[in-house]
Amino acid sequence: MARIIVVTSGKGGVGKTTVTANLGMHLASKNYRVCLIDMDIGLNNLDVVMSMEDRVVYSMLDVLENKCRVKEALVQDDVFPLLFLLSSGGLNQNLTITISQIKRVIDELEPKFDFIIIDCPAGIDAGFRRAVSLADEALVVTTPHLSSLRDADKVVAILSTYNILSKRFVINRARGDLIQDKLMIDVHDIGRTLGIEFGGVIPEDDRVLLSTSASISNNKCALNRAFEILASNIITGEKKLFDCTYKYRGFFGSIKKLLKRKV
Ligand SMILES: Nc1ncnc2c1ncn2[C@@H]1O[C@H](COP(=O)(O)OP(=O)(O)OP(=O)(O)O)[C@@H](O)[C@H]1O
Ligand SMILES: [Mg+2]
């Protein structure tokens, strides 16, 4: 039976979809059967991030409207045959989507996958509630900024009212140069603030836009290493830390820091 993990945050734009896509690719690269579900209904973009938008024929909405079967709506990744996407499709104002309808879809997928990863919409309204009520585990994505952390903290409190067995946080867009100079809140301090388990740290890196299933095998890329560690923490339950400050230590590190500030 699949582990069902919701990727949530409260605040919008902090990297939920990015984490969902990359985590899915890394798990599938380790031979796990992975289904990504876009629950950001109406504002769905997981298909675009996965470069699958041209191949989406049916969506979750079509399944709910009985226009197709669940397996017909799944899109298989080009590079990792064990990775699938169930896109949410556009908003149909006339359709009220209930938790039990989506649960039926998930119940059908559960025996076929090792991981079902749900990309949650921003906010804490109906879309959020639908997404989290279906999951057993949650990844709370936050950036190291106070506004994002405050929303993450509220989401952690709300999650405790759901039947979520495990809650981990992921710090996205961490800047090693700023953490090294104590200008950005430290990973351990974030852990103490949120009071949930550590899941992973993902550095700020523009290459996130280029990250595709074809490029994730590049071990030299810090972004790939960070997602690789996140995936292995999810699989094993370990709390390994990707150290994003390593580049900025010592003599050459100081020069890199100065250069980064000037950009
Ligand atoms: N580690 C990162 N480094 C650089 N840019 C990033 C990183 N993570 C995410 N981004 C960028 O931030 C933007 C928002 O990311 P994303 O869409 O994943 O956030 P989201 O939480 O899913 O947003 P929404 O709440 O709107 O669904 C995107 O342009 C993405 O490329
Ligand atoms: Mg998103």
Side-chain angles (χ1 to χ4, degrees):
M1 290 299 255
R3 284 172 61 183
I4 306 174
I5 305 176
V6 64
V7 180
T8 184
S9 68
K11 189 168 170 54
V14 296
K16 295 176 292 296
T17 303
T18 305
V19 168
T20 303
N22 283 277
L23 176 60
M25 290 188 267
H26 279 272
L27 290 171
S29 76
K30 293 172 185 296
N31 290 327
Y32 288 97
R33 298 166 299 162
V34 183
C35 180
L36 306 180
I37 302 185
D38 193 343
M39 288 289 287
D40 201 348
I41 296 168
L43 294 174
N44 55 304
N45 61 354
L46 187 55
D47 51 341
V48 178
V49 173
M50 298 292 297
S51 304
M52 288 182 177
E53 73 276 18
D54 293 339
R55 294 194 292 124
V56 174
V57 180
Y58 294 114
S59 69
M60 166 86 85
L61 288 194
D62 295 313
V63 176
L64 299 182
E65 289 177 317
N66 294 318
K67 290 184 186 161
C68 68
R69 292 168 49 204
V70 179
K71 68 177 191 185
E72 290 174 297
L74 293 178
V75 183
Q76 190 173 24
D77 187 71
D78 280 336
V79 176
F80 298 113
L82 298 181
L83 179 61
F84 290 82
L85 167 71
L86 178 57
S87 178
S88 70
L91 191 63
N92 178 349
Q93 305 280 6
N94 301 319
L95 186 71
T96 315
I97 303 165
T98 62
I99 292 171
S100 58
Q101 277 177 310
I102 310 256
K103 187 167 182 326
R104 274 202 294 277
V105 174
I106 296 210
D107 284 348
E108 202 173 325
L109 293 170
E110 229 185 326
K112 300 183 180 80
F113 290 95
D114 300 306
F115 289 94
I116 294 176
I117 306 179
I118 301 172
D119 185 17
C120 184
I124 48 172
D125 57 14
F128 164 86
R129 289 199 297 274
R130 261 196 309 260
V132 301
S133 57
L134 299 163
D136 310 315
E137 303 176 40
L139 277 187
V140 179
V141 181
T142 176
T143 64
H145 305 101
L146 284 180
S147 57
S148 170
L149 278 166
R150 198 172 68 164
D151 284 4
D153 192 42
K154 285 181 195 156
V155 161
V156 169
I158 297 171
L159 287 176
S160 60
T161 64
Y162 286 82
N163 205 10
I164 303 264
L165 306 172
S166 136
K167 297 187 274 283
R168 295 187 184 85
F169 67 94
V170 176
I171 301 158
N172 188 28
R173 309 192 82 147
R175 286 265 309 264
D177 57 327
L178 298 184
I179 294 173
Q180 177 78 354
D181 281 356
K182 307 213 179 321
L183 295 172
M184 188 171 258
I185 183 163
D186 183 72
V187 172
H188 300 96
D189 294 335
I190 293 175
R192 275 189 286 275
T193 308
L194 293 180
I196 57 173
E197 274 181 48
F198 171 78
V201 180
I202 309 297
E204 166 86 32
D205 192 331
D206 289 341
R207 276 169 296 188
V208 87
L209 298 167
L210 308 171
S211 169
T212 61
S213 37
S215 68
I216 70 159
S217 51
N218 177 2
N219 285 331
K220 288 200 180 117
C221 170
L223 195 67
N224 279 342
R225 282 209 311 279
F227 276 115
E228 165 75 29
I229 291 174
L230 171 64
S232 97
N233 283 349
I234 300 288
I235 295 164
T236 61
E238 283 178 292
K239 295 169 193 165
K240 280 193 207 141
L241 184 75
F242 170 75
D243 181 7
C244 48
T245 62
Y246 76 99
K247 273 200 290 190
Y248 303 104
R249 292 203 206 108
F251 175 71
F252 289 110
S254 309
I255 294 173
K256 278 186 201 155
K257 263 191 294 192
L258 287 174
L259 288 173
K260 188 146 178 133
R261 300 284 160 78
K262 286 200 173 118
V263 180

Coordinates of all heavy atoms in Angstrom, one line a residue, residues 17 40 45 119, ligand 2:
T17 N 5.1 22.9 -5.2 CA 5.0 22.2 -6.4 C 6.5 21.8 -6.8 O 6.7 20.6 -7.3 CB 4.4 23.1 -7.5 OG1 3.1 23.5 -7.0 CG2 4.3 22.4 -8.8
D40 N -4.1 21.3 -6.6 CA -4.3 22.7 -6.7 C -5.3 23.0 -7.8 O -5.0 23.4 -8.9 CB -2.9 23.4 -7.0 CG -3.0 24.8 -6.6 OD1 -4.0 25.4 -6.3 OD2 -1.9 25.5 -6.6
N45 N -0.4 23.5 -11.8 CA 0.8 23.7 -12.6 C 1.8 22.6 -12.5 O 2.9 22.8 -13.0 CB 1.4 25.1 -12.4 CG 1.9 25.3 -11.0 OD1 1.7 24.4 -10.1 ND2 2.6 26.4 -10.7
D119 N 0.2 17.5 -4.2 CA 0.6 18.9 -4.2 C -0.6 19.7 -3.7 O -1.6 19.7 -4.4 CB 1.0 19.3 -5.6 CG 1.5 20.7 -5.7 OD1 1.9 21.2 -4.6 OD2 1.6 21.2 -6.8
Ligands
MG2 MG 2.1 25.1 -6.3

